[in-house]
Amino acid sequence: MKRIAVVMAMSAEASPVLTALSAEAATGVAPLVVRWFTATRHRSEILIALNGRDRRFGVDSIGTEPAALSTYVAIDRFRPDVVISAGTAGGWERAGGVIGDVYVSDGCVVHHDRRIAIEGFREYGIGAYPVLPARQMAATLGLKTGIVTTSNSLDENDDDRLLISASGAAVKDMEAAAVAYVCEQMSVPFMALKAITDLVDHPIATADQFNANLSMASKRLSEKLLEVLDWLIPRERGDMS
Ligand code: SAH
């Protein structure tokens, strides 16, 4: 794979991998929406597309809308062979989650906050977007595998819990399904790589766990992302064996 796009939400999540790749900032690319960084690795072009900072609130643009915009711009202008949604995520003690573990998406990516009880739209709401088959890569690189589920909330409410237990998801984030949606619409292979910062069913508040573990998890993410890039680069588009 000669062109790999990595879509990330928070600059703190991206910082270790930008350093490790000696990535350089690109200018002039939709600056109100994304911040692009590019690097070369084993003669492949790597794009790190950061979702940028909100113009009004000044915080990192987390969540589905910036992720979808960023992915669209990345595919339209960079023409990647594969898109990786990389970042931090929540897990569950009940699903065997451990802080610092890195998961690759398996099976599909779903939404857990789009409940549409109308014929045909129920499935549209959940999404179940395809992901690259990555079990062999996961076994080789020591990654966990699981369904990633997305909503625009850091916490989970009772309705979320019902959809999450129905999907059997192991990883909870705020961007993957949006990135996967754009990838499916534009016929680009997709995978998510997520490092666990917090366990949503743990007694310590999710936001406190997130803040305590963000730096460590981002370093773990960077290490594993480099290994994933090195796995993907020599392979053909669509060949994950
Ligand atoms: N207080 C933080 C907010 C980060 S929100 C700040 O502004 O610094 C959490 C980000 O990490 C999102 O981009 C999301 O994809 C991921 N994430 C980590 N833990 C999560 C969880 N438990 N649920 C959903 N997303 C989570």
Side-chain angles (χ1 to χ4, degrees):
M1 301 201 201
K2 294 288 164 256
R3 303 175 72 77
I4 302 176
V6 183
V7 177
M8 303 184 78
M10 299 183 65
S11 54
E13 290 169 336
S15 163
V17 77
L18 291 177
T19 305
L21 286 169
S22 305
E24 291 185 5
T27 51
V29 189
L32 295 181
V33 181
V34 291
R35 284 166 60 211
W36 272 20
F37 296 84
T38 53
T40 308
R41 192 165 175 89
H42 311 309
R43 277 182 274 134
S44 281
E45 296 294 315
I46 314 295
L47 166 68
I48 310 281
L50 268 189
N51 295 352
R53 229 170 250 285
D54 186 274
R55 286 182 75 189
R56 190 149 68 87
F57 298 99
V59 297
D60 285 318
S61 300
I62 62 174
T64 56
E65 289 88 347
L69 279 174
S70 173
T71 305
Y72 182 83
V73 174
I75 294 174
D76 188 50
R77 309 225 182 137
F78 182 74
R79 300 274 156 207
D81 297 310
V82 56
V83 172
I84 303 173
S85 166
T88 60
W92 290 273
E93 267 183 332
R94 64 170 183 271
V98 176
I99 307 280
D101 275 355
V102 183
Y103 282 79
V104 63
S105 49
D106 187 48
C108 62
V109 175
V110 294
H111 292 278
H112 60 262
D113 65 343
R114 305 203 314 180
R115 296 173 298 279
I116 315 172
I118 302 173
E119 176 72 22
F121 288 94
R122 187 187 314 272
E123 294 73 19
Y124 167 81
I126 291 168
Y129 309 110
V131 300
L132 273 172
R135 288 198 183 173
Q136 196 165 339
M137 180 186 85
T140 308
L141 304 184
L143 300 166
K144 287 189 169 178
T145 58
I147 290 175
V148 180
T149 188
T150 298
S151 79
N152 277 299
S153 298
L154 186 66
D155 65 1
E156 57 175 0
N157 65 19
D158 289 343
D159 289 328
D160 295 338
R161 271 183 212 104
L162 287 178
L163 277 180
I164 289 164
S165 84
S167 73
V171 180
K172 174 179 181 296
D173 87 335
M174 298 172 69
E175 293 87 15
V179 179
Y181 160 73
V182 178
C183 286
E184 185 181 33
Q185 296 298 315
M186 298 176 86
S187 303
V188 179
F190 166 87
M191 76 166 60
L193 193 72
K194 300 283 163 173
I196 302 299
T197 43
D198 54 271
L199 300 173
V200 192
D201 54 354
H202 188 277
I204 297 176
T206 301
D208 293 343
Q209 296 181 56
F210 175 83
N211 288 324
N213 297 318
L214 175 60
S215 163
M216 177 275 293
S218 301
K219 285 189 198 115
R220 294 272 302 140
L221 177 69
S222 170
E223 288 162 20
K224 290 298 172 186
L225 184 52
L226 295 187
E227 294 177 17
V228 166
L229 293 175
D230 290 346
W231 171 278
L232 292 173
I233 285 167
R235 287 178 165 74
E236 296 295 321
R237 192 167 164 159
D239 169 25
M240 290 296 288
S241 57

